[in-house]
């Protein structure tokens, strides 16, 4: 079976091998699924030596940058780890020409990031040059900027303006399973370049560095909204509020807004909370207010009209100007300590614009029905993401029709028995069935999705799967790089240890 909490390992008889952070549980500290031996790689030669060693000893190899992968693809029971965390080089290029490109094809202000650079380090670095990168934003922004985030697609609040991570990369340097160090771009190994842009982390080789284009730093307007109901159940007022928000998503996108809504239970108060974190790049404050304030007014009217048992309370509803993406990001995400040791599971689906526009009520009703799971309705597609030719990168073509990446997630405390975890999984699977039914032709984001996709090849790669697999066979004939539900994993058992 597949394991939803990747550091721990559940045996077929439901006993668990793990090492819990919460020592009061009293369970012995065991290895679980943490790699048993590994290389803290510092140079390309280290990576080449590690790959050659793994090949000659037929080891189960895993590659880790930060270990953030929700599927635990950067660890495996009994595996040999190549840890890329210390590839921290950052190089600016006033003008960059990809290897083999015509001398006229120059990108100004490009940046090369080592495979261990995290998003906060990349955002800090590029800000000193008055530029921005299309990059991940999260608490502490500790996701890798040149590892799994990019190789799986890479979304950002800036994506509706500048595309996904894969639409902004100019070149990869990597080591293949034969130990060969190569450069892949539009002119060198273009098939591999195509596959690396969305074909998934840990699948084609070990990336040592990535070169991105950057964009000018522009001012933006941020919108912040929080409302709550005094209930753990979604009251009619909260349902109405969420439905109204889903109804206007496409309009918000058309006038330059992007961002995320969350619906979650505040454990301290027992209230169900809906919050919005939105940005509108390079818009005037007046323009931005004109498009978001009707939603704030809708919420205020709903709050005034609800009675005590159904009270909706608007906690905050305002916009604010920021002089750059960086200053917005530092206020909302930087400096907050990262959380670790969280156990949980998630599911997601890419919702096409026409599905939302044609039946917003069905979308809202389906998502709200997943509560008490936490909802994240990320409007980070559409715009520039949908203007890219779907076949120009290996990425799941479903991204190009999508407007929203809808996620739900559930957590549980450490030490939870396997039987209880299985019950949670069963409910997650049912939610996924309902979510998929909204847009069966669409797909899911490889990096943030359900561990239980019935057809992962289609869900994560759509009709690009066969080409991705044949490119993988060419560059990784040993099948050294195989990850859960990744390209080529269908040839292996669930533990990715024995060929089918
Ligand atoms: C707190 C948090 C916030 C997030 N925010 C965003 C977001 O804003 N946007 C978004 O798109 N996603 C986001 N994600 C999801 C994120 O994209 C995935 O978790 C992704 O897998 C992280 O990549 P990583 O390299 O940091 O993690 P890792 O776990 O180290 O690696 C992930 C996968 O990539 C492979 N890999 C890593 N490094 C390399 C390498 N050098 N060469 C080849 N393969 C490699 C690994 O083998 C593994 O398969 C977030 C995740 C978390 C936990």
């Amino acid at each position: 079976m597949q394991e939803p909490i990747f550091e721990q390992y559940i045996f077929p008889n439901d006993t668990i091998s793990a090492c819990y952070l919460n020592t009061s549980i009293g369970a012995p500290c065991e290895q679980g699924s943490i790699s048993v031996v590994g290389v803290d790689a510092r140079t390309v030669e280290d990576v080449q030596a590690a790959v050659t060693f793994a090949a000659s000893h037929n080891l189960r190899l895993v590659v880790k940058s930060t270990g953030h992968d929700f599927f635990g693809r950067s660890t495996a029971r009994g595996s040999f780890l190549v840890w890329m965390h210390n590839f921290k080089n950052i190089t600016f290029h006033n003008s960059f020409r990809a290897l083999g490109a015509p001398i006229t094809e120059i990108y100004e202000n490009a940046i090369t990031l080592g495979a261990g650079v995290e998003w906060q380090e990349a955002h800090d670095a590029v800000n000193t040059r008055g530029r921005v990168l299309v990059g991940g934003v999260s608490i502490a922004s500790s996701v890798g900027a040149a590892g799994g985030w990019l190789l799986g697609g890479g979304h950002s609040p800036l994506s509706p303006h500048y595309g996904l991570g894969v639409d902004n990369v100019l070149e990869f340097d990597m080591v293949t399973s034969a130990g060969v160090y190569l450069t892949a771009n539009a002119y060198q190994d273009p098939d591999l370049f195509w596959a690396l842009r969305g074909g998934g982390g840990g699948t084609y080789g070990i990336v040592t560095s990535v070169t991105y284009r950057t964009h000018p730093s522009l001012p933006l307007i941020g919108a912040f909204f929080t409302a709550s109901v005094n209930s753990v159940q979604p009251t009619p007022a909260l349902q109405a509020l969420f439905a109204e928000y889903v109804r206007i998503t496409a309009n918000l996108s058309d006038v330059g807004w992007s961002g995320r809504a969350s619906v979650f239970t505040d454990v301290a108060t027992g209230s169900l909370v809906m919050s919005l974190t939105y940005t509108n790049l390079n818009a005037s404050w007046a323009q931005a207010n004109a498009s978001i304030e009707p939603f704030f007014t809708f919420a205020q009217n709903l709050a005034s009209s609800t009675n005590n048992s159904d009270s909706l309370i608007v906690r905050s509803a305002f916009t604010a100007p920021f002089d750059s993406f960086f200053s917005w990001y530092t206020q909302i995400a930087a400096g907050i300590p990262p959380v670790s040791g969280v156990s949980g599971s998630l599911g997601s689906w890419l919702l096409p614009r026409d599905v939302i526009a044609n039946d917003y009520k069905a979308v809202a009703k389906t998502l709200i029905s997943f509560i008490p799971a936490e909802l994240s309705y990320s409007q980070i597609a559409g715009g520039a993401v949908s203007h890219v030719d779907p076949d120009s990168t290996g990425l799941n073509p479903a991204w190009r029709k999508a407007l929203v990446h809808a996620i739900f997630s559930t957590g549980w405390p450490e030490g939870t028995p396997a039987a209880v975890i299985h019950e949670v999984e069963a409910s997650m699977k049912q939610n996924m069935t309902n979510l998929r039914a909204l847009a069966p032709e669409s797909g899911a984001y490889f990096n943030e999705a359900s561990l239980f996709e019935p057809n992962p090849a289609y869900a994560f790669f759509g009709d690009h799967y066969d080409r991705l697999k044949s490119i993988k066979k060419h560059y990784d004939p040993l099948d050294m790089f195989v990850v859960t539900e990744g390209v080529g994993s269908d040839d292996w058992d669930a533990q990715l240890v024995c060929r089918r």
Side-chain angles (χ1 to χ4, degrees):
M1 62 163 281
Q2 291 174 328
E3 171 44 43
I5 313 166
F6 55 83
E7 295 95 340
Q8 71 179 43
Y9 184 84
I10 303 182
F11 290 96
N13 68 358
D14 274 0
T15 55
I16 293 178
S17 170
C19 189
Y20 297 122
L21 292 177
N22 179 359
T23 49
S24 68
I25 293 169
C29 179
E30 295 178 353
Q31 191 72 19
S33 290
I34 301 294
S35 303
V36 286
V37 64
V39 171
D40 174 359
R42 305 285 171 128
T43 63
V44 168
E45 290 74 22
D46 289 349
V47 178
Q48 290 174 303
V51 164
T52 307
F53 180 79
S56 62
H57 293 82
N58 194 25
L59 300 180
R60 165 90 167 86
L61 182 141
V62 291
V63 188
K64 182 188 286 188
S65 158
T66 67
H68 277 45
D69 192 88
F70 287 114
F71 282 60
R73 294 178 176 121
S74 42
T75 193
R77 187 166 171 80
S79 61
F80 172 66
L81 168 72
V82 182
W83 192 41
M84 299 301 289
H85 170 81
N86 285 305
F87 272 67
K88 292 287 190 190
N89 276 355
I90 298 180
T91 310
F92 288 96
H93 311 273
N94 290 335
S95 72
F96 176 80
R97 181 158 69 97
L99 192 67
I103 50 170
T104 49
E105 193 180 310
I106 299 289
Y107 291 90
E108 291 180 356
N109 301 303
I111 188 168
T112 300
L113 306 177
V117 174
E118 295 168 18
W119 272 119
Q120 26 113 0
E121 296 162 330
H123 289 314
D124 283 352
V126 82
N127 181 56
T128 63
R129 303 283 175 123
R131 308 288 295 179
V132 292
L133 275 161
V134 172
V137 170
S138 61
I139 291 173
S141 287
S142 52
V143 171
W149 178 90
L150 169 65
L151 297 162
H155 66 75
S156 158
L158 293 174
S159 290
H161 299 276
Y162 300 127
L164 296 163
V166 292
D167 303 323
N168 283 274
V169 64
L170 300 171
E171 191 164 277
F172 292 91
D173 290 318
M174 62 165 258
V175 173
T176 67
S177 59
V180 174
Y181 178 56
L182 58 75
T183 296
N185 61 35
Y187 302 93
Q188 309 280 320
D189 293 279
D191 268 8
L192 179 61
F193 184 53
W194 183 85
L196 288 170
R197 288 175 295 157
T203 301
Y204 293 91
I206 302 183
V207 170
T208 54
S209 68
V210 164
T211 302
Y212 285 108
R213 72 181 81 198
T214 66
H215 301 274
S217 181
L218 299 173
L220 60 80
I221 306 299
F224 304 90
F225 173 86
T226 310
S228 63
V229 287
N230 193 18
S231 165
V232 288
Q233 296 300 325
T235 62
L238 190 103
Q239 291 177 40
L241 183 66
F242 187 69
E244 171 63 7
Y245 161 68
V246 174
R247 187 185 73 79
I248 63 168
T249 324
N251 303 342
L252 292 178
S253 167
D254 289 344
V255 292
W257 288 104
S258 63
R260 183 169 84 120
S262 305
V263 182
F264 59 94
T265 306
D266 178 347
V267 281
T269 61
S271 314
L272 206 53
V273 178
M274 175 173 161
S275 72
L276 254 62
T277 309
Y278 260 65
T279 61
N280 200 330
L281 191 67
N282 214 20
S284 77
W285 203 356
Q287 275 170 342
N289 283 341
S291 49
I292 199 86
E293 276 181 351
F295 177 72
F296 293 167
T297 306
F298 180 93
Q300 299 286 8
N301 290 342
L302 204 55
S304 330
S305 67
T306 48
N307 61 33
N308 282 346
S309 62
D310 186 24
S311 288
L312 179 83
I313 302 160
V314 177
R315 307 269 172 198
S316 61
F318 64 96
T319 58
F322 293 84
D323 60 9
S324 66
F325 174 76
F326 185 78
S327 62
W328 171 81
Y329 143 79
T330 41
Q331 286 209 22
I332 67 149
I336 305 173
V339 182
S340 57
V342 177
S343 305
S345 188
L346 55 85
S348 77
W349 204 244
L350 294 165
L351 298 178
R353 183 188 169 104
D354 59 352
V355 166
I356 297 168
N358 294 345
D359 199 351
Y360 75 90
K361 286 184 183 163
V363 171
K365 194 173 165 197
T366 303
L367 290 170
I368 283 285
S369 74
F370 300 161
I371 292 170
E374 181 170 333
L375 303 181
S376 168
Y377 185 91
S378 290
Q379 186 222 304
I380 38 69
V385 176
S386 51
H387 299 150
V388 175
D389 173 1
D391 296 326
S392 62
T393 68
L395 182 75
N396 189 344
W399 268 105
R400 305 304 178 184
K401 288 187 179 163
L403 181 62
V404 165
H405 168 40
I407 312 178
F408 61 92
S409 57
T410 298
W412 52 82
E414 279 191 323
T416 300
V420 177
I421 296 172
H422 295 323
E423 275 174 31
V424 176
E425 286 165 9
S427 120
M428 303 290 281
K429 284 180 194 170
Q430 184 55 53
N431 288 351
M432 266 319 299
T433 303
N434 299 344
L435 184 55
R436 252 183 247 110
L438 289 171
E441 309 289 306
S442 190
Y445 177 31
F446 183 70
N447 285 348
E448 298 175 315
S450 165
L451 198 49
F452 305 103
E453 275 304 331
N455 183 356
Y458 181 80
F460 297 134
F461 306 104
D463 63 10
H464 287 169
Y465 187 76
D466 290 345
R467 183 173 171 206
L468 286 167
K469 192 167 174 183
S470 75
I471 295 170
K472 175 177 169 55
K473 276 194 188 307
H474 179 77
Y475 286 94
D476 180 22
L478 299 176
D479 256 3
M480 178 179 283
F481 302 108
V482 189
V483 296
T484 303
E485 297 190 0
V487 172
S489 62
D490 44 343
D491 293 338
W492 293 79
D493 68 1
Q495 299 296 339
L496 307 178
V497 171
C498 299
R499 283 185 190 277
R500 285 190 200 280

